[in-house]
Amino acid sequence: MTNRLFTENKNIKENVKNDIFLKQQVERIKSDSEKFANKDIAALTYTSFKKFYVTGSRKEYEYEYFLHRRRLNDFAILNILYDDEKYRLCLQDIIWSILDEFTWALPAHIPQNTDIENCITHIDLFASETAFALAEISHILSDKLDKTIVERIKYEVYRRVLKPYLSGRKNSWDCLENNWSAVCAGSVGSAFLYFGTDEEIQTVLPRIKETLEYYLKGFGDDGACVEGINYWAYGFGYFTYFAQLLYQYSDGKDNLFDNKKVENIAVFPQKLWFKNNNTVTFSDCGDKFTQRSGLIHFLKQKYSQIAVHDDNCSLEFDGDGCYRFAHLIRDFAWRKNNIKVQTESENGFYYFKNAGWYIKRTSNYEFAAKAGDNKESHNHNDIGVFLLNVGGDKIVTDPGRGEYTSDYFSSKRYKYFPPSALAHSVPVVNGIVQQEGEEYRGNIVKATENELIIDCKDAYNDCSLKELTRKFEFYDDKIVLNDKFAFDTDKNDVTEHFVFDVKPTECENGLKIGNTEMCYNVSDFECKINEVTYASNYNKQKTVYTVDLKHIVKTKTVETKFEFNIKNTWKERK
């Protein structure tokens, strides 16, 4: 039945002819491939493999690992488009090198002191993705590749991934309610559809589907992804890729798309699109709205309410630092040249009750806030946090993801700035910042077009705190924030903490941040402004500015008021 699978790949040459974006990508891939064509393939060394376990640094090993996948992507695409012996030989060489890798899993995902056999057959995100990519490349290009390459691909995919899974061995992601379950189960399931016998496929399908059900459990019925838009594209992308292959394999009888929750998940990202391709940066999310255009174009055919944005936010061939073939090939195979794009965001508000998210977009500003709990996937300690963009510029910000290291995903996580409470615009109460844990949570009490109220009391480990309510009032040209604190003891310290993308300056009525004024009663507070530079992904440095406004009067109840007066400059710049 493999002749039914991914027949869309036959559209790629025609798509490139008619699609300016794809033509540009092909030219860039050609140029990129020239850097590899006459350069030896670097081996993945034991020294760099071991370094993660010694120092916690991921970047040394992963740089070369993902460079292998970049080569694979380049030469696979070029072989699909052209009959060129140079490209064919380069593709076979990089496939051979990947087949020679000690393990397809990353050191960061393999427990230390794992025995050799389990290292080789450890199925993590990237082992499963590699199996999927090689199986799909073999399926598309079997007539171009040497028989030895085709046979060895199948042998290694079986040895490292399919046989261990068939054996019933448990995986850490089998029951996870986040992107891991979708990526791993989707990739393993897809590799089975390409290489497995019908008997093997029927054996594993119930287990694959069960894991995908766990993935869907990670969403409420509102479809919101608390991990943010990047992890939405990652997890839901691989869910979609497997679902479509399964639909084709079963000749339409097995349809995972016929599910209202799946539909709600599919339409979620378009609600996070802000001017200048900014987005909501809750959790470990990047700060730009990006889309895998093939994925979005495909989903548009399934669900008519999907909004397709223009290619200013489409990821290019090298926009994914992990170089995932499944994403890239579907950008080429699934894009529709005549699809209508949406160039302006729709004004209005969205309330995601299950996730505890609120998003509001107007012609003057964009706002987002959240409640939830402090044990979410890729959690940050951020109950009551809010973001404010004005005229396409970030004003009140959230740093998003930090650099991924071993400690970042350990008990030391909140010693890093990005996931800590101090990286978020939330109060500090009696010197206590929010802590991690499901018991530290908030609740949206009211969410309307003009008002948002969040109960944040349970986000703090302070038994004297009896009330902490954040209320936002929304107007055309301003947002008013009122915080109300109540204690059962006297003399309490309240510090209002804010995080800005640009450096604020003190003025007569409060603070000036870009073209926005944050006005408050300056006589009530001591103001301290700090500059914080931190490591983002792969050691990129970012800088934000924190402001601590310490309430001078220590009383049993404290009420604060801040007005964000907004000057719209977006129309002037367009």
Side-chain angles (χ1 to χ4, degrees):
M1 296 185 185
T2 56
N3 60 345
R4 295 178 183 167
L5 300 181
F6 197 38
T7 55
E8 310 93 300
N9 82 82
K10 301 187 188 320
N11 302 329
I12 291 175
K13 288 184 180 181
E14 193 65 24
N15 287 352
V16 171
K17 285 182 185 179
N18 299 314
D19 190 314
I20 294 173
F21 177 80
L22 292 182
K23 283 181 181 178
Q24 292 171 340
Q25 297 312 296
V26 171
E27 291 307 308
R28 293 192 60 203
I29 288 171
K30 282 182 182 177
S31 177
D32 195 59
S33 74
E34 291 301 316
K35 296 183 292 188
F36 299 128
N38 300 308
K39 185 177 179 182
D40 290 339
I41 300 169
L44 303 182
T45 67
Y46 173 66
T47 299
S48 62
F49 180 87
K50 183 183 176 184
K51 190 159 192 172
F52 170 78
Y53 299 109
V54 176
T55 69
S57 176
R58 297 173 58 156
K59 57 182 179 283
E60 292 80 7
Y61 182 84
E62 292 183 12
Y63 174 78
E64 295 295 346
Y65 179 98
F66 290 124
L67 205 59
H68 281 194
R69 274 69 187 163
R70 182 170 182 161
R71 281 195 189 218
L72 181 72
N73 282 2
D74 281 2
F75 292 115
I77 294 295
L78 293 174
N79 273 276
I80 291 169
L81 291 170
Y82 306 108
D83 290 317
D84 187 315
E85 181 68 1
K86 178 181 70 173
Y87 292 152
R88 190 181 75 87
L89 295 176
C90 287
L91 176 60
Q92 293 194 146
D93 281 346
I94 187 56
I95 289 174
W96 196 258
S97 290
I98 289 172
L99 296 172
D100 278 346
E101 289 172 359
F102 164 58
T103 177
W104 291 340
L106 294 184
H109 299 156
I110 304 172
Q112 194 166 10
N113 300 319
T114 300
D115 65 67
I116 294 297
E117 181 61 25
N118 283 320
C119 275
I120 294 169
T121 61
H122 189 83
I123 306 174
D124 72 339
L125 295 167
F126 299 103
S128 56
E129 287 176 35
T130 299
F132 181 13
L134 292 174
E136 196 151 74
I137 290 169
S138 176
H139 172 75
I140 297 169
L141 294 170
S142 60
D143 59 336
K144 281 192 175 185
L145 300 173
D146 287 353
K147 182 181 178 182
T148 302
I149 295 287
V150 173
E151 289 181 349
R152 193 174 172 213
I153 287 174
K154 190 169 185 177
Y155 173 83
E156 292 293 348
V157 169
Y158 256 96
R159 180 172 77 97
R160 297 167 183 259
V161 175
L162 303 192
K163 282 185 179 178
Y165 193 83
L166 269 171
S167 74
R169 189 180 71 187
K170 300 298 183 184
N171 302 287
S172 62
W173 43 265
D174 286 332
C175 301
L176 287 182
E177 297 180 6
N178 65 12
N179 68 87
W180 272 72
S181 52
V183 175
C184 294
S187 294
V188 172
S190 297
F192 267 108
L193 293 177
Y194 280 122
F195 282 163
T197 65
D198 286 339
E199 182 181 358
E200 289 170 337
I201 292 169
Q202 294 308 317
T203 298
V204 302
L205 263 182
R207 186 177 168 199
I208 294 287
K209 287 182 176 180
E210 182 182 23
T211 296
L212 292 177
E213 280 298 319
Y214 276 103
Y215 169 66
L216 296 179
K217 284 180 185 176
F219 299 83
D221 290 337
D222 58 22
C225 178
V226 298
E227 297 179 289
I229 190 171
N230 303 126
Y231 283 104
W232 173 92
Y234 191 19
F236 196 65
Y238 277 85
F239 174 91
T240 301
Y241 306 153
F242 170 73
Q244 177 63 0
L245 289 172
L246 179 62
Y247 183 84
Q248 292 169 327
Y249 170 82
S250 67
D251 201 18
K253 297 180 183 67
D254 215 336
N255 185 3
L256 301 184
F257 298 108
D258 187 16
N259 181 323
K260 185 60 180 176
K261 179 185 268 192
V262 171
E263 181 178 351
N264 288 341
I265 295 168
V267 301
F268 170 68
Q270 65 203 53
K271 299 165 185 176
L272 309 186
W273 184 43
F274 291 168
K275 294 180 178 73
N276 281 341
N277 288 334
N278 290 318
T279 192
V280 176
T281 53
F282 298 151
S283 303
D284 284 336
C285 186
D287 59 359
K288 286 297 179 183
F289 182 95
T290 57
Q291 64 179 8
R292 296 300 333 195
S293 56
L295 172 63
I296 299 298
H297 286 214
F298 174 83
L299 292 172
K300 177 69 173 177
Q301 311 310 307
K302 293 288 184 184
Y303 312 113
S304 60
Q305 68 270 41
I306 295 283
V308 177
H309 304 293
D310 66 35
D311 285 325
N312 286 323
C313 55
S314 291
L315 274 178
E316 300 189 345
F317 85 100
D318 57 351
D320 169 15
C322 298
Y323 304 100
R324 298 174 176 95
F325 180 76
H327 282 324
L328 181 66
I329 192 65
R330 284 161 179 80
D331 287 345
F332 279 87
W334 282 358
R335 278 175 61 97
K336 303 291 183 183
N337 190 46
N338 60 350
I339 205 160
K340 183 180 179 181
V341 300
Q342 182 172 314
T343 56
E344 296 286 343
S345 62
E346 295 180 359
N347 294 338
F349 81 100
Y350 304 100
Y351 170 39
F352 299 96
K353 183 177 181 180
N354 304 119
W357 283 28
Y358 178 98
I359 296 169
K360 184 176 176 68
R361 298 187 300 209
T362 76
S363 56
N364 291 337
Y365 61 83
E366 296 139 338
F367 172 92
K370 72 178 291 289
D373 67 65
N374 281 343
K375 197 183 177 183
E376 297 169 338
S377 184
H378 287 271
N379 179 69
H380 289 198
N381 291 339
D382 60 356
I383 305 304
V385 70
F386 70 102
L387 312 178
L388 175 63
N389 291 4
V390 177
D393 295 328
K394 291 180 285 186
I395 302 297
V396 182
T397 194
D398 180 324
R401 72 183 291 180
E403 183 186 5
Y404 285 6
T405 64
S406 59
D407 284 347
Y408 192 81
F409 291 99
S410 74
S411 59
K412 300 176 184 178
R413 177 180 179 86
Y414 299 98
K415 295 183 183 299
Y416 288 84
F417 178 71
S420 73
L422 292 178
H424 302 86
S425 296
V426 295
V428 179
V429 180
N430 285 323
I432 297 171
V433 297
Q434 290 185 24
Q435 295 177 302
E436 68 278 10
E438 191 173 7
E439 66 273 29
Y440 300 107
R441 55 192 310 110
N443 181 47
I444 292 182
V445 177
K446 183 178 181 180
T448 68
E449 185 174 6
N450 299 316
E451 191 173 60
L452 171 67
I453 300 175
I454 306 176
D455 180 358
C456 302
K457 174 178 68 68
D458 292 334
Y460 294 84
N461 186 21
D462 184 345
C463 59
S464 69
L465 181 64
K466 298 305 175 186
E467 180 182 355
L468 200 175
T469 304
R470 306 205 95 169
K471 182 170 76 169
F472 298 91
E473 298 171 271
F474 303 103
Y475 303 89
D476 288 341
D477 58 354
K478 69 179 179 180
I479 296 173
V480 179
L481 165 62
N482 288 277
D483 281 348
K484 184 176 181 181
F485 305 80
F487 302 85
D488 62 5
T489 58
D490 293 324
K491 297 184 178 180
N492 295 279
D493 284 322
V494 167
T495 299
E496 293 282 19
H497 181 78
F498 298 94
V499 183
F500 298 108
D501 197 63
V502 294
K503 188 172 183 177
T505 56
E506 294 186 71
C507 59
E508 182 180 359
N509 296 318
L511 294 173
K512 179 90 169 173
I513 314 105
N515 287 307
T516 301
E517 282 189 343
M518 188 177 85
C519 300
Y520 54 91
N521 189 343
V522 295
S523 63
D524 286 347
F525 298 95
E526 295 176 1
C527 178
K528 184 177 182 181
I529 301 173
N530 289 307
E531 179 179 305
V532 180
T533 299
Y534 62 96
S536 184
N537 198 28
Y538 289 101
N539 212 28
K540 293 178 183 176
Q541 299 292 303
K542 290 187 176 181
T543 298
V544 294
Y545 301 88
T546 64
V547 172
D548 287 311
L549 297 174
K550 187 172 183 179
H551 203 265
I552 293 172
V553 180
K554 300 180 180 183
T555 60
K556 201 169 185 177
T557 60
V558 176
E559 293 190 34
T560 61
K561 179 179 179 181
F562 303 92
E563 286 192 8
F564 293 87
N565 294 317
I566 292 160
K567 178 184 177 183
N568 180 24
T569 60
W570 179 249
K571 290 181 181 178
E572 298 171 15
R573 295 188 300 167
K574 284 183 68 176

